[in-house]
Each structure stands twice: as structure tokens, then as C-alpha cells.
Amino acid sequence: MANIKDIARLAGVSVTTVSRVINGHPYVRDDKKAAVLRAMEETNYERNINAVHLIKGKTNLIGVMVPSIKRPYFGLVVEGIAEEALKGNYKLVLIQTNYEEQREQEALMMLKLKQIDALIICSKISDWDIVEEYAAYGPIIAFEDARGRNVSSIFIDHYKGFMEALAYLNGKGHRKVGYCLARKSGTSSKQREAAYRDFLKSSGEPFDPDCAFYDAIHFEDGEWIVQRLMTMQDPPTALLVTSDQVAAGILACCNERELDVPSKLAIVSFDNQPIARTLNITTFEIPLTEIGRDLFRKVMTKEFFQQEIPVRLIERLTV
Amino acid sequence: MANIKDIARLAGVSVTTVSRVINGHPYVRDDKKAAVLRAMEETNYERNINAVHLIKGKTNLIGVMVPSIKRPYFGLVVEGIAEEALKGNYKLVLIQTNYEEQREQEALMMLKLKQIDALIICSKISDWDIVEEYAAYGPIIAFEDARGRNVSSIFIDHYKGFMEALAYLNGKGHRKVGYCLARKSGTSSKQREAAYRDFLKSSGEPFDPDCAFYDAIHFEDGEWIVQRLMTMQDPPTALLVTSDQVAAGILACCNERELDVPSKLAIVSFDNQPIARTLNITTFEIPLTEIGRDLFRKVMTKEFFQQEIPVRLIERLTV
């Protein structure tokens, strides 16, 4: 296999020149650079494809930092990103972090080391200060509220969205509202829980921990939620559910047990996935796949960009 | 920023030695190699992280060749792969191919160029000859039937599975059976359709093209399927559905229109996703997420491995 010396001989330049080309050194004459690249190609200088990437300044790899793609919420965002990547023939490097700072750092380092052309952060736990620092090395966009920060972002104000939903149910006469969240420690869950507590405070109602249902993620979680509701002495009259999948599961189990929706239990969910339309579930739209597509498109422009996506109530038959 | 010359000076070796280390040349004295690696570390020789990867012979990146992750069938396999990757702190490079040979070739090239440590093929259209050729460069495993080929694989015999399902419905007295497939041109769809035609031939029944429902992929596809069934003069008495999600959607729409399942329409699906358990759908289990986990684990052992995963009938209430 060819090494740097062979390339140098073939290109008629010094080893130093080859190494300069490989290292993207600015002071290399164009004709020499061209000769080196041609020699690399001719000798099938394969193991250093990464060096070639460095020269071109492009890897065609886009990093996606995501806690875990098993969470449908992130799965849908990644689907949107993947759709755009497929169109543009980009490959995605999935860096799953499980919300561990060390792993988030690894994703940021990949950008710094030019192993990826850009980084999309679906959710993170690291400080914005750290993200801002790395934003100097290449395009970063986050699906988190980065207002006041020098990081591009497309985001949902989950606090505001939850407040809107609570006000909507309150307006419909519901005084005791339960809520189903995914991971208690997730960024959006924290915002939503804060909204819930603030809403109770402003309406002078006490907080009942029994009204909180955590780790409600999949359709099948509807089963235990309905079971728990049915054992409660004073159950909530309405549920705020942060995923249409879970809401659909709850609805299916209510139908099975002849617990009438909405007269006995009103259900409002989030996202407006197709299943919500099919089952006529009242929901607040968060276009996750669309957002994924936008994250990809915007990070590719390399321009600073911040946009809040408003949630939008879609009234159907479950309230 | 440090270049190769700086590294050489710091390590007390020649530029040639540094380039040898970078290129993984075998004839470098261990102490010199160590000095070079130390110098690289000290100078924060970042842009050549890829070169360091080459020396270690490891990138911690695993390639995943997949037509598109938007298809739930592949989405579930990728979820399983991602779960194991998360545990082992590997990153995944998603190479979506849309069944284009050129893109499949790119994925195989990444393995040859050592940009990834191993390649998992979820589905492909290229000849096995081509895949076999690249298997010489690094570990490859396919989620396709590679019997008789020198490529590791974990696979479902979809022809056999569909035959079993048809025989089961036939045994229950169903003479006219419809079937819902995802993409008509997909590898598994072709095997399933061949089984369907062979089954009809062996039982002397004619093929009715109205019994085929293509592009049935998501829950919401249940809606148009049931609509079409209701306009048919002589509709099938049973449906074979290749995804629990679609079966669930069909069931929900049947319930809404008071079309009784199973007396008016029997439903058998595939996969046994949790939604099938919740809605009591009779299904043939294909443990896609589990298979994804296994694909990852097996490709990491680098050992040749072939295994057929049998489908398993789980009788519930829709037949």
C-alpha cells in the first residue's frame, strides 16, 4: 500500500508538502496540491480518506446528539432529520447520550475534530456555555430553547404549551387534572411540571402527587395508567398526556373497560401524530418530524437562526 | 497548530517515522511509535484524530445500512441496534440507501476505508457477490437470508412465515384471504407475495388482485384499507397484515364502523409489537428490536454466524 513517501515521489514533491496537504496547511502551491491529490487518487491512497475529507473540508457526515432514539418523541425528530439526510445523500452519525455529559462532550468533540460537518442537538444536559464554546468550530443547531445564547435553535416553549393546555381544560370545567410525562428528568418534562405547579398555585389548588404519571412513553403504557386511575378514590376528570401514542393507549383501554371518554375522563395530548387523527384525539400539535427536517435544513445553511414553534390546539372528540 | 514536522521534532524521530506511524506501517520500532503517539497527544494533534483511529484500528463507529428508518419495520431493528450501541458507547453511522445500489456501495466502501469498525446491513438490493467481496475488509452482518454465502446473517424466512400464516387461516375455514404489504418492491414483500401465489396455486384458487393492499405501513393506513374493504362486492374474510401497527389501525376502524372482528373479518398480523398485546391481536412474532440487538452483538464478535429466527404464532382474539 502506498505511504506518504510514495505519494511524494509520484507527485514530484517533498514529503513535507504531502504532509502539508494532508494537514490542510494554507501555504501549499495550488499545482503542488493538485499533484498530491492526483497521486493519492492514483495510488488508491485509501487509508487516509479522512485526510482527503479534511482537505475538502467536508465529510458528508452530520452528527445527531440524542438521549436515545427509542423514545418516540426523539424518534420522530430523528426520522425528519433522516428524511432530509436521505434526500441530500448525507450520512448521520447518531450519538446517543443517555443524558450523560461525557457522551455529549464526545459529540461536540467530533465537530471540533471535523469528523462531522455539523451537529444537531435533539436534547442535552450540558451547560449552554459549553455548547457555545464548540459552536465556534462548526455549525450547531439545537432542538432546545437557546434564546439569549449564540447557538441556533428551533424550539418549543413547553412551559407555555402546558399552561395553554391547562387553561383549556380549566375553561372546560376541569378542576382536577392529571398529567402523564415521559422521563421525569427530561428537559421538557421539567418545564411542563413547573407549568403544572404554577398553574395550581395561581388557581389556589393543592398539588396531589397521585395526579402525576411518569414514564408514560408507549401505547401500551395506557394500560397501567387506566388501571391506576380506576383504583383512585378521587380520580382526575381529565388527563394531559405528552404523547399521542400514550393517549391512544389510554383511550383504547377506556373503551375496553367502558369508561366513557370524554364524559368520565377527558384526554388532551401533544404532538398530533397520525394516530391522534385516526382516533379523534384532541391534541396540541408539535410537528416533530417537520421540526427534524427543519433542523437539518437550517444547520446546513450555517447561518444563525432561532425560531420558536408555537403549539396549536386541534379540537377533536376526547374533551 | 502542530503539523507532522512538529510531531517529529518533539518525538525525536524523522518525519518519515511519523508518517509511518500515521499510516500504520508495520516496521516501526515500538519505542518510536510510543514517542510519536505521546507527541501527538501533547500537541493536541487534533485534526488527525482519524489517523489515531487508524493506528488503534478502531473508530468506535458502526455503520448501519438501511433503506430508510422511517419504515417502522426497520425503525424497530435500528432501535435494537441503537440500544446495544448506547450500552457499549458506540456511535452509529446511519447510511440510508432508499434501495439504491450506489448508496449501498458507499456504505461498503466506508468499511473498506476503515471509517467504520463494522457494518450491519438491515436490507439491501445489491448482489451477495458484492457484499461477499467487501466482507474481506471487516465484519459485516446482514438481516437477510445469506445461506450459502460467506456473510454473517440473522434472518427470517418470510416465505415460510407467510405460508404458515396462510395455512393457519385456511385451517380456520378462510378461503379468501387478503394481504397488506409495506413496499411492493421490498425484499420481504417479494418473498411474501411469492408464498401467497404458491399457496393459491396449491389450493387451486385463482389470484384476485383486489386482495392485495400495498403501502400499508402505519396505523393510519387502517382507514383506507377498511374503506376499500367495505366497497368490495366479495371482500376477503380474513386479512394477513405485515405490521401490528397497521393491524391495530384496521381493528380501530372496524370497531368504529361496527364491522365485527373476527366474525366478519379475521386479522392476523406480524411482529408482535406491544400494541398487538394491548389490543389482543393474533400475530406471528418477529422480535425486530431483539434481532437488532443481536445483529450488533454478533457483528462485534467478528465471527461468522448464521441464524434463522423462526416466526411464532401468538393466538389472541382477532381470528
Side-chain angles (χ1 to χ4, degrees):
Chain A
M1 201 180 59
N3 63 20
I4 290 187
K5 232 166 155 178
D6 302 325
I7 304 287
R9 201 179 310 119
L10 195 64
V13 302
S14 68
V15 168
T16 310
T17 301
V18 177
S19 89
R20 277 187 178 170
V21 172
I22 290 173
N23 289 294
H25 199 289
Y27 305 120
V28 182
R29 261 171 44 197
D30 281 353
D31 57 336
K32 287 192 176 178
K33 187 170 160 182
V36 168
L37 289 177
R38 207 160 43 234
M40 282 177 146
E41 224 176 286
E42 275 172 27
T43 55
N44 216 354
Y45 188 63
E46 284 169 350
R47 296 192 71 185
N48 249 325
I49 182 77
N50 298 312
V52 176
H53 282 162
L54 287 171
I55 295 157
K56 290 193 197 152
K58 252 190 101 174
T59 62
N60 275 338
L61 297 176
I62 307 298
V64 180
M65 184 204 287
V66 58
S68 156
I69 63 157
K70 277 211 81 167
R71 285 268 313 279
Y73 182 81
F74 296 123
L76 289 168
V77 176
V78 172
E79 268 185 23
I81 296 170
E83 211 175 288
E84 284 298 304
L86 182 59
K87 272 191 220 162
N89 201 14
Y90 280 86
K91 301 175 185 82
L92 298 179
V93 180
L94 279 189
I95 307 128
Q96 297 182 103
T97 63
N98 205 18
Y99 283 122
E100 289 168 29
E101 284 189 61
Q102 172 63 30
R103 294 185 177 196
E104 296 187 2
Q105 193 94 12
E106 281 173 38
L108 292 162
M109 274 306 277
M110 287 189 81
L111 185 70
K112 186 172 178 183
L113 302 179
K114 312 271 184 231
Q115 292 178 288
I116 49 178
D117 294 346
L119 178 64
I120 299 170
I121 298 176
C122 295
S123 186
K124 61 152 191 66
I125 198 166
S126 305
D127 281 348
W128 281 115
D129 286 347
I130 294 171
V131 178
E132 266 183 333
E133 190 188 315
Y134 282 90
Y137 297 107
I140 295 181
I141 197 165
F143 179 36
E144 284 207 358
D145 188 347
R147 278 176 289 192
R149 293 295 184 160
N150 199 14
V151 177
S152 289
S153 100
I154 296 177
F155 62 95
I156 308 290
D157 187 329
H158 290 291
Y159 181 93
K160 203 159 75 183
F162 226 58
M163 275 292 186
E164 270 182 50
L166 288 162
Y168 170 69
L169 286 172
N170 196 271
K172 294 281 182 183
H174 295 281
R175 291 296 166 266
K176 188 165 185 175
V177 175
Y179 60 102
C180 305
L181 298 177
R183 224 171 107 143
K184 193 177 177 176
S185 59
T187 318
S188 54
S189 293
K190 280 184 195 157
Q191 293 170 14
R192 285 162 158 170
E193 197 143 33
Y196 185 85
R197 286 173 183 267
D198 287 352
F199 191 86
L200 283 191
K201 210 180 287 171
S202 72
S203 55
E205 306 271 348
F207 177 75
D208 178 357
D210 281 353
C211 282
F213 297 77
Y214 298 112
D215 299 312
I217 295 175
H218 302 283
F219 184 97
E220 58 271 26
D221 290 316
E223 215 166 341
W224 65 260
I225 293 167
V226 173
Q227 264 165 14
R228 219 179 90 188
L229 279 174
M230 295 189 78
T231 62
M232 288 172 77
Q233 294 231 314
D234 179 23
T237 60
L239 274 186
L240 253 185
V241 187
T242 57
S243 145
D244 293 319
Q245 291 288 335
V246 177
I250 292 171
L251 186 60
C253 292
C254 285
N255 288 343
E256 208 177 287
R257 288 152 193 261
E258 295 176 5
L259 179 73
D260 189 66
V261 175
S263 71
K264 292 286 175 211
L265 181 72
I267 302 172
V268 175
S269 70
F270 281 89
D271 296 356
N272 192 31
Q273 291 175 36
I275 200 171
R277 189 175 40 77
T278 310
L279 298 181
N280 277 311
I281 297 169
T282 296
T283 189
F284 281 84
E285 185 179 57
I286 301 181
L288 293 167
T289 310
E290 175 84 28
I291 288 169
R293 286 196 292 262
D294 267 354
L295 287 166
F296 187 93
R297 285 192 289 244
K298 290 299 180 191
V299 83
M300 297 307 283
T301 69
K302 298 179 188 171
E303 279 163 25
F304 181 75
F305 179 85
Q306 290 192 336
Q307 184 187 14
E308 179 182 344
I309 307 290
V311 302
R312 188 169 68 94
L313 173 64
I314 297 173
E315 289 193 277
R316 296 197 180 103
L317 306 179
T318 54
V319 176
Chain B
M1 201 180 56
N3 63 19
I4 291 188
K5 233 164 153 178
D6 302 324
I7 305 287
R9 200 180 310 119
L10 195 63
V13 302
S14 69
V15 168
T16 310
T17 302
V18 176
S19 90
R20 279 187 176 169
V21 171
I22 289 174
N23 289 295
H25 199 290
Y27 306 121
V28 182
R29 263 170 44 197
D30 280 353
D31 57 336
K32 287 193 175 176
K33 187 170 161 182
V36 169
L37 290 177
R38 208 159 44 233
M40 282 175 146
E41 224 176 286
E42 276 173 26
T43 56
N44 215 353
Y45 189 62
E46 284 168 349
R47 295 193 72 183
N48 250 326
I49 183 76
N50 297 312
V52 176
H53 281 163
L54 288 171
I55 295 156
K56 291 193 197 153
K58 254 189 97 172
T59 62
N60 274 338
L61 297 175
I62 307 298
V64 180
M65 184 203 289
V66 58
S68 157
I69 63 157
K70 276 211 82 167
R71 285 268 311 278
Y73 183 81
F74 296 122
L76 290 167
V77 175
V78 172
E79 268 185 21
I81 295 170
E83 211 175 289
E84 285 298 306
L86 182 59
K87 272 192 220 160
N89 201 14
Y90 280 87
K91 300 173 187 84
L92 298 180
V93 180
L94 280 189
I95 306 129
Q96 298 182 105
T97 63
N98 205 18
Y99 284 123
E100 289 167 28
E101 285 190 60
Q102 173 62 30
R103 294 184 178 198
E104 296 188 3
Q105 193 94 11
E106 280 174 36
L108 292 161
M109 273 307 277
M110 288 189 80
L111 185 69
K112 185 171 177 184
L113 303 179
K114 312 269 185 235
Q115 292 178 289
I116 48 178
D117 294 345
L119 178 65
I120 299 172
I121 299 176
C122 295
S123 184
K124 60 154 191 65
I125 197 167
S126 306
D127 282 348
W128 281 115
D129 287 347
I130 294 172
V131 179
E132 266 183 333
E133 191 188 313
Y134 282 91
Y137 297 106
I140 295 180
I141 197 164
F143 179 35
E144 283 207 359
D145 188 348
R147 279 176 290 192
R149 293 294 184 160
N150 200 14
V151 177
S152 289
S153 98
I154 296 177
F155 63 95
I156 308 291
D157 188 330
H158 290 292
Y159 181 93
K160 203 158 76 182
F162 226 57
M163 274 291 185
E164 269 182 52
L166 287 162
Y168 169 69
L169 286 173
N170 195 271
K172 293 282 183 181
H174 294 282
R175 292 294 165 267
K176 188 163 186 177
V177 175
Y179 60 103
C180 305
L181 298 177
R183 226 172 105 141
K184 192 177 179 176
S185 58
T187 319
S188 53
S189 293
K190 281 184 194 155
Q191 293 169 16
R192 284 162 158 170
E193 196 142 34
Y196 185 84
R197 285 172 183 268
D198 287 352
F199 191 86
L200 282 191
K201 212 179 285 171
S202 72
S203 54
E205 305 271 349
F207 177 75
D208 178 358
D210 280 353
C211 281
F213 296 78
Y214 298 112
D215 299 313
I217 296 177
H218 300 285
F219 184 95
E220 58 271 24
D221 290 316
E223 214 166 342
W224 63 261
I225 293 167
V226 173
Q227 263 165 13
R228 219 179 89 187
L229 280 174
M230 295 189 79
T231 62
M232 287 172 78
Q233 294 230 316
D234 180 24
T237 60
L239 274 186
L240 252 184
V241 187
T242 56
S243 146
D244 292 322
Q245 290 288 336
V246 177
I250 293 172
L251 186 60
C253 292
C254 286
N255 288 343
E256 208 177 287
R257 288 151 195 261
E258 294 176 6
L259 179 74
D260 190 65
V261 174
S263 71
K264 293 285 175 210
L265 181 72
I267 302 172
V268 176
S269 70
F270 281 88
D271 296 354
N272 193 31
Q273 291 176 36
I275 200 172
R277 188 175 43 73
T278 310
L279 298 181
N280 278 311
I281 297 170
T282 295
T283 190
F284 281 84
E285 185 180 56
I286 301 182
L288 292 168
T289 310
E290 175 85 26
I291 287 170
R293 286 197 290 263
D294 267 355
L295 286 166
F296 187 92
R297 285 192 290 246
K298 290 300 180 190
V299 82
M300 297 308 284
T301 68
K302 298 179 188 173
E303 278 164 27
F304 182 76
F305 178 85
Q306 290 192 337
Q307 185 187 13
E308 179 182 344
I309 306 291
V311 302
R312 189 169 67 93
L313 174 65
I314 297 172
E315 290 193 276
R316 296 198 180 103
L317 305 179
T318 55
V319 176

